[in-house]
Amino acid sequence: MKNTSILILGAGELGVPVIRHMANKAKNYSGTTVTVLLREATINSEDADKKKIIAELRELGVNLLAGDLSASSSELVAIFKNYDAVVSCTGYGSGAGGFQLKLANAVLDAGVKRYFPWQFGVDFEVIGRGSAQDLFDEQLDVRELLRSQNATNWVIISTGMFTSYLFEPFFGLLDMEKKSFNAIGGWDTAVTVTTPEDIGKLTAEIFFAEPAIENEIVYIGGDTITYGQLVDIAESLSGQKYDRTLSDMTEIQQDLKDDPTNFVKKYRSIFGAGRGVSWPLEVTYNFKHGIEMISAAQWAKDNIDWDSFNK
């Protein structure tokens, strides 16, 4: 990996941990540089949170490059051609309607040697086309594009859901104030989850692995857990009993039919169906290499003040 120039796209919830671990790992490789593409307004922002991020990136020795991913494809090609590898942490927030495909095409047209596309998530191929989450079809388009050529090596990292989402009110599983839990699909339906920090750590490990990983889908996971196990964790940590209800797929699909553009309901349909959203930890890169990860129970213990919900 000597003399490798790495460009990372995005510095959000996932991007920052990826940058952090990539930059620290790169220090072990002479001549390897890490650059982050950010909007100029972000680099020069007076917002306290953004200033904190920029300060951390500078302290890590990361180069900051002003640019906008909404630029034309030719402008992106002009940027990307200066780098040996591109790691995309853009997320869906950067836009739908061909955005991920636009990035992938620009990477290929620029002659980038190695690409880690933004595919941090579920197993899109098991889920298949025409799913409740229409954005997944574009992820499959990106995979087909990458497999159709051999000039650019690629690596896809499948991570499952962010661990925190299991406990977020918006996802509609756990209501800590009401001491209730609503499972989706079934009590034995499983989901694989990983924290952004662990995704960052594993991305760096996979990127710098020797021999180099090429043209593969690599599975990682902090935990694979059923909804039944999740409510057991909540009861154990809170010391409280939770009312348990189940939304089966008939109910979930009707909810989505009544509100077909609702982003959360699309995801509830995917994770309720349980297909392509979990894998045994034994198949993961971290398990095979003995890399310690944060489980759902450990995350919940460290990040939630359970006592505050028992008052």
Side-chain angles (χ1 to χ4, degrees), residues 168-189:
E168 293 284 358
F170 78 85
F171 203 61
L173 296 176
L174 192 64
D175 190 324
M176 288 174 277
E177 292 184 349
K178 294 182 179 179
K179 307 295 186 298
S180 64
F181 187 92
N182 175 238
I184 51 177
W187 291 105
D188 293 328
T189 301

Side-chain angles (χ1 to χ4, degrees), residues 98-137:
F99 177 76
Q100 299 297 337
L101 201 55
K102 170 188 170 182
L103 287 186
N105 273 303
V107 166
L108 299 185
D109 291 345
V112 175
K113 297 174 185 176
R114 201 170 190 219
Y115 184 39
F116 281 54
W118 186 79
Q119 299 249 337
F120 302 94
V122 297
D123 194 328
F124 303 113
E125 285 164 296
V126 171
I127 293 171
R129 292 186 179 275
S131 72
Q133 181 47 276
D134 46 320
L135 292 175
F136 288 179
D137 284 6

Side-chain angles (χ1 to χ4, degrees), residues 53 57 74 118 173 177 181 183-184 235 243 246 262 274 288 296-297 302 307:
I53 291 172
L57 299 186
S74 60
W118 186 79
L173 296 176
E177 292 184 349
F181 187 92
I184 51 177
E235 289 185 341
D243 292 330
L246 172 67
N262 187 296
K288 292 176 181 178
D302 293 343
D307 290 339

Side-chain angles (χ1 to χ4, degrees), residues 52-231:
K52 183 179 179 180
I53 291 172
I54 296 301
E56 180 184 356
L57 299 186
R58 294 188 191 280
E59 188 174 341
L60 287 167
V62 172
N63 302 313
L64 304 181
L65 177 65
D68 195 329
L69 293 175
S70 65
S72 68
S73 295
S74 60
E75 290 175 287
L76 294 181
V77 170
I79 294 172
F80 295 165
K81 71 179 182 181
N82 297 308
Y83 297 91
D84 297 315
V86 172
V87 179
S88 178
C89 300
T90 55
Y92 286 135
S94 297
F99 177 76
Q100 299 297 337
L101 201 55
K102 170 188 170 182
L103 287 186
N105 273 303
V107 166
L108 299 185
D109 291 345
V112 175
K113 297 174 185 176
R114 201 170 190 219
Y115 184 39
F116 281 54
W118 186 79
Q119 299 249 337
F120 302 94
V122 297
D123 194 328
F124 303 113
E125 285 164 296
V126 171
I127 293 171
R129 292 186 179 275
S131 72
Q133 181 47 276
D134 46 320
L135 292 175
F136 288 179
D137 284 6
E138 186 180 346
Q139 299 292 62
L140 292 172
D141 292 339
V142 169
R143 294 188 181 196
E144 289 183 2
L145 174 65
L146 295 175
R147 287 170 171 149
S148 72
Q149 54 81 51
N150 53 26
T152 296
N153 289 320
W154 52 269
V155 179
I156 287 169
I157 303 179
S158 290
T159 65
M161 183 195 295
F162 283 177
T163 307
S164 60
Y165 285 9
L166 293 176
F167 303 91
E168 293 284 358
F170 78 85
F171 203 61
L173 296 176
L174 192 64
D175 190 324
M176 288 174 277
E177 292 184 349
K178 294 182 179 179
K179 307 295 186 298
S180 64
F181 187 92
N182 175 238
I184 51 177
W187 291 105
D188 293 328
T189 301
V191 57
T192 295
V193 294
T194 314
T195 67
E197 193 67 29
D198 276 345
I199 295 173
K201 177 171 69 175
L202 266 294
T203 298
E205 291 291 335
I206 292 165
F207 186 95
F208 288 103
E210 296 178 0
I213 297 172
E214 299 179 349
N215 306 326
E216 287 187 35
I217 299 172
V218 182
Y219 294 87
I220 69 173
D223 209 342
T224 294
I225 187 171
T226 68
Y227 296 123
Q229 290 170 331
L230 180 58
V231 69

